[in-house]
Amino acid sequence: MSEPTAEFRHRVLELVRQIPPGRVMTYGQVARYAGFPGRARQVGFVLHSLLPASGEIPWQRVINAQGGISTYRVGVGELQRALLVHEGVEFNPSGRCDLERFGWRPEVDEGALGL
DNA sequence: ACGTTGACGTCAG
DNA sequence: TCTGACGCCAACG
């Protein structure tokens, strides 16, 4: 019934939509929590299909496993970074953020940063 | 039909 | 810490 691709896309978008402001998830995590482990690249492809108008999907809250921005080659790297900084996410001089602090896990549903 | 590409992740050096 | 190789799999030409 449900085509794998369509189902995957739907699951990914619904999950990303739930990431609270100021929090981030990695492509790999999104893929895993969506029920499709190992398909991080496909997550990026789905999000890429949202541009340039992202609508209600907070695509900027998805980054790579190193805590860095992967969208510079697509041309929206600076934008993504600015949006995240505006939400309170901090980046170190290397351009990476601490996933221990800003990473978000669905099961630990917490919107605010633990201070 | 097929080789290449890509908003990734992991591991070795 | 950084770089390159590889695995991954759907989209593209």
Side-chain angles (χ1 to χ4, degrees), chain A residues 16 19 25-27 30 43 47 58-63 80:
Chain A
V16 173
I19 305 175
M25 269 185 91
T26 72
Y27 297 94
V30 172
V43 170
L47 296 182
W59 58 272
Q60 73 273 23
R61 295 172 195 153
V62 183
I63 61 181
Q80 177 169 20

Side-chain angles (χ1 to χ4, degrees), chain A residues 41-72:
Chain A
R41 304 192 80 152
Q42 302 315 121
V43 170
F45 207 94
V46 169
L47 296 182
H48 184 221
S49 70
L50 297 174
L51 299 177
S54 58
E56 314 170 10
I57 310 296
W59 58 272
Q60 73 273 23
R61 295 172 195 153
V62 183
I63 61 181
N64 63 41
Q66 285 68 52
I69 305 296
S70 288
T71 60
Y72 288 105

